[in-house]
């Protein structure tokens, strides 16, 4: 251990984490602003429905957090040990397999959505279509996790910030209009667009990184 190596490590970690800190703040604003709009414009009932959807689908975070623990270390290690073509092939394999798994999981949830909502609270059956679209939102968010964690593993995290800034700008400019016109489905559409933008940003950045 030397002061020089400690300084280099701190500097390197700051270069990685400075974008994560900014992105976390933007994501916090994005999520809470949408909840505020739901409560302010649509009222407490719609907010309760949205929070119920989040509680049901939030169980998927157990699987997603396991990727958070494993994939950044795995991708960073492979990048050091393998050539770029082999690294790219292995990462694409992980992305493909995880996407298939997530698609299967949420396809099952959508197919059983009537039963799930009935067991949770049968009054939610009136919002069955909104729940199904919200499942697609969580699917997009889940598919983004491998991309986000691979970029973290290779110490490239700024694309999440770019995507979050664009999505927040979209929410600020279109939020009121979509909610006033489409109600709860408008809110869910904003969630859909915001997560899709972040996913596209990460795909684009990772693709260019290994072109």
């Amino acid at each position: 251990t030397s002061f020089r190596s400690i300084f280099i490590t701190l500097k390197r970690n700051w270069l990685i984490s400075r974008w994560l800190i900014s992105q976390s703040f933007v994501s916090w604003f994005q999520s809470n602003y949408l909840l505020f709009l739901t409560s302010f414009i649509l009222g407490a009932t719609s907010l309760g429905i949205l929070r119920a959807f989040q509680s049901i689908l939030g169980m998927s975070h157990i699987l997603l957090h396991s990727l958070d623990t494993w994939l950044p270390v795995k991708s960073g290690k492979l990048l050091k040990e393998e050539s770029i073509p082999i690294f790219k092939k292995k990462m694409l394999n992980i992305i493909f397999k995880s996407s298939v798994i997530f698609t299967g999981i949420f396809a099952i949830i959508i197919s059983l959505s009537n039963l799930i909502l009935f067991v949770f609270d049968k009054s939610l059956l009136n919002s069955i279509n909104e729940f199904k679209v919200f499942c697609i939102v969580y699917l997009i968010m889940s598919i983004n996790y491998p991309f986000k964690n691979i970029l973290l593993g290779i110490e490239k995290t700024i694309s999440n910030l770019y995507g979050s800034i664009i999505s927040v700008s979209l929410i600020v400019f279109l939020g009121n209009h979509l909610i006033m016109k489409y109600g709860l489905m408008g809110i869910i559409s904003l969630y859909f667009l915001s997560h899709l933008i972040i996913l596209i940003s990460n795909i684009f950045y990772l693709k260019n990184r290994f072109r």
Side-chain angles (χ1 to χ4, degrees):
T1 302
S2 67
F3 286 110
R4 182 175 180 274
S5 64
I6 292 174
F7 175 77
I8 291 173
T9 301
L10 288 173
K11 181 180 178 181
R12 183 177 175 186
N13 286 335
W14 167 247
L15 291 174
I16 302 169
S17 63
R18 60 176 176 166
W19 304 121
L20 294 176
I21 294 170
S22 302
Q23 192 262 331
S24 295
F25 175 77
V26 174
S27 297
W28 174 85
F29 174 82
Q30 168 189 312
S31 178
N32 284 278
Y33 184 66
L34 282 173
L35 292 176
F36 167 76
L37 287 179
T38 304
S39 178
F40 184 75
I41 298 177
L42 300 180
T45 300
S46 294
L47 179 62
I49 293 172
L50 187 63
R51 296 296 284 175
F53 290 170
Q54 290 177 329
S55 297
I56 295 169
L57 297 177
M59 291 182 288
S60 64
H61 287 307
I62 297 172
L63 178 59
L64 296 178
H65 286 316
S66 67
L67 283 178
D68 274 340
T69 304
W70 169 74
L71 192 50
V73 177
K74 178 71 172 178
S75 58
K77 183 179 180 182
L78 284 176
L79 182 62
K80 292 180 179 179
E81 296 177 350
E82 306 286 358
S83 64
I84 294 299
I86 294 176
F87 172 79
K88 181 180 178 180
K89 182 179 179 181
K90 289 185 176 181
M91 290 299 101
L92 287 175
N93 187 45
I94 291 173
I95 290 170
F96 174 76
K97 287 182 177 178
S98 60
S99 297
V100 170
I101 291 171
F102 289 135
T103 302
I105 290 172
F106 284 99
I108 292 171
I109 293 174
I110 290 173
S111 65
L112 298 176
S113 55
N114 282 282
L115 176 61
I116 292 171
L117 294 186
F118 179 81
V119 172
F120 193 87
D121 188 335
K122 63 181 181 180
S123 65
L124 293 174
L125 290 171
N126 295 324
S127 305
I128 186 70
N129 292 328
E130 287 83 353
F131 178 74
K132 290 179 179 179
V133 176
F134 209 55
C135 286
I136 298 174
V137 172
Y138 266 70
L139 172 60
I140 293 173
M141 181 180 67
S142 301
I143 291 174
N144 181 54
Y145 260 71
F147 291 96
K148 182 184 73 173
N149 283 297
I150 290 171
L151 288 167
L152 175 60
I154 62 175
E155 303 179 4
K156 304 293 181 182
T157 59
I158 195 171
S159 61
N160 273 287
L161 176 61
Y162 288 156
S164 295
I165 290 175
I166 295 171
S167 67
V168 165
S169 300
L170 182 73
I171 289 169
V172 170
F173 286 109
L174 296 181
N176 285 353
H177 172 74
L178 288 177
I179 297 169
M180 294 295 290
K181 188 172 183 179
Y182 299 106
L184 185 59
M185 188 63 82
I187 282 284
I188 295 174
S189 298
L190 289 169
Y191 274 104
F192 175 85
L193 290 173
S194 63
H195 286 292
L196 182 62
I197 288 169
I198 295 171
L199 174 61
I200 292 173
S201 175
N202 285 338
I203 291 174
F204 179 79
Y205 196 85
L206 188 61
K207 181 179 179 181
N208 286 340
R209 176 68 178 78
F210 295 108
R211 178 170 291 176

